[in-house]
Amino acid sequence: MRLSDCHNFQDFRRLAQRRLPGPLFNYIDGAADDEITYRRNTDAFERCDLVPNVLRGVKDIDLSVTVMGQKLALPVYCSPTALQRLFHHTGEHAVAAAASRYGTLFGVSSLGTVSLAELRKAYATPQCYQFYVHKDHGLNRAMLQSAKQAGVDVMMLTVDTITGGNRERDLRMGFSIPMRLTPASMLQFAIKPRWALDYLRHELFRMPQLEEHISIEGGSISIGRYFSEMLDPGMDWNYVAGMVKEWSGQFCLKGVMSVEDARRAVDIGCTGIVLSNHGGRQLDGSRSGFDQLAEIVDAVGDRIDVMMDGGVQRGTHVLKALSLGAKAVGLGRYYLFPLAAAGEAGVDRALGLMRAELQRGMKLMGCTQISQLTRGNLRFR
Ligand SMILES: Cc1cc2nc3c(=O)[nH]c(=O)nc-3n(C[C@H](O)[C@H](O)[C@H](O)COP(=O)(O)O)c2cc1C
């Protein structure tokens, strides 16, 4: 199987599975508890159908949107994800380069493996920084400061990780950062020598956003322990209101799911919210972002940019979310599997397929501009 054989999400997923050692594939592919929310995220899009209009003259399609002050050529963006250089040695560089080519925003995680400033210098496309609030408030201030200095366009605070999700695939596989090799996992790595060679031949694994401030004792900490031990479970609306003031720019909360919280985000001066359950990786049994869209857009959509992520595998999923009032839609595994499968060429191909699906979908819907997508285009079953 080659990259040119990948025509959709499942194809990229299969190719990624062939290339990645088991613990890494399962870190991307896995989710919390019984993974019900993970599955639900994609299934939610099947709850409704698109109702097209015809004979509208759809020669030229404009897919651009403006969200959180950023003009994007596509209504999708690459949501921030951790540890990208573990999946392919080019990591964040590959994602940022492909996002730039398609004129869209990419996110850099607090657990990113390339420095914010380096990415800012190399790519002009809008960049958001995904922030975690640590127990050490001095560290939080320093991190905000360096993001500001780097010239980040949007601050994105993740609020659904107040404690670590129960990711049983990671527990079974012994996945941790940095990687700790046990006899069982060693075998998983040994049978993927190409990945191992690439990993060893390139720049040492780093987490530049954290390394100045956090020492990872004993050389290894699990993702669950990072969330549980280092992040601040006391984080509350007051603290975040202070951060929003200090940042004084585009500030968005990722992981808001209730109308009440959406209203509070408006009250403290946020400019955006992402309805998200972290790709099903945190609270299993929670609702999907897509399912929550309509009521949150109705409550606050005229005062704040509402986005969503989770389960997006097709252009038509994006069209459904936009029809309900989302300003833009985040992609996670949609670009991570291609990254793992083929680096920058993989992400490029995945975004190219997404753009083609969106253009085709818009034409078939009888729309030339994203703003023409409305709830009139949708029927729930
Ligand atoms: C491997 C992986 C790592 C992630 N790392 C982060 C992260 O560091 N910070 C964050 O806010 N979200 C993180 N996410 C969540 C994504 O930003 C996004 O919300 C989620 O992947 C969307 O669901 P999808 O993968 O079904 O598209 C991660 C997701 C995955 C799959």
Side-chain angles (χ1 to χ4, degrees), residues 79-82 109 130 132 158 254 276 278-279 281 309-311 332-333:
S79 190
T81 55
S109 169
Q130 179 272 315
Y132 284 130
T158 298
K254 174 172 179 285
S276 171
H278 216 101
R281 298 160 77 81
D309 73 29
R333 296 174 183 90

Side-chain angles (χ1 to χ4, degrees), residues 81-113:
T81 55
L83 311 179
Q84 291 178 14
R85 285 190 53 241
L86 283 186
F87 314 142
H88 189 274
H89 64 87
T90 54
E92 283 83 350
H93 277 291
V95 177
S100 303
R101 213 165 296 122
Y102 286 89
T104 195
L105 174 143
F106 69 97
V108 184
S109 169
S110 280
L111 300 174
T113 51

Side-chain angles (χ1 to χ4, degrees), residues 65-90:
V65 293
T66 299
V67 62
M68 289 180 299
Q70 317 303 311
K71 170 119 178 161
L72 310 182
L74 291 181
V76 293
Y77 60 89
C78 296
S79 190
T81 55
L83 311 179
Q84 291 178 14
R85 285 190 53 241
L86 283 186
F87 314 142
H88 189 274
H89 64 87
T90 54

Side-chain angles (χ1 to χ4, degrees), residues 3 37 55 58 94 106 126 136 153 165-166 195 225 267 381:
L3 180 60
T37 292
L55 302 178
V58 290
F106 69 97
D136 176 350
D153 302 287
N166 176 37
W195 178 92
R225 275 185 55 211
D267 292 343
R381 292 183 180 185

Side-chain angles (χ1 to χ4, degrees), residues 219-236:
S220 159
I221 182 170
S222 73
I223 299 274
R225 275 185 55 211
Y226 168 75
F227 284 140
S228 308
E229 293 175 19
M230 295 191 179
L231 303 188
D232 184 3
M235 173 172 71
D236 61 12

Side-chain angles (χ1 to χ4, degrees), residues 290-340:
F290 181 73
D291 284 338
Q292 284 300 85
L293 250 178
E295 64 181 86
I296 292 188
V297 168
D298 287 345
V300 298
D302 54 343
R303 286 174 290 157
I304 196 167
D305 285 346
V306 180
M307 290 150 281
M308 61 103 12
D309 73 29
V312 175
Q313 299 181 0
R314 285 285 185 193
T316 49
H317 295 163
V318 176
L319 295 183
K320 287 177 177 178
L322 297 170
S323 298
L324 282 185
K327 288 275 162 57
V329 171
L331 306 173
R333 296 174 183 90
Y334 182 87
Y335 75 83
L336 282 179
F337 287 134
L339 172 68

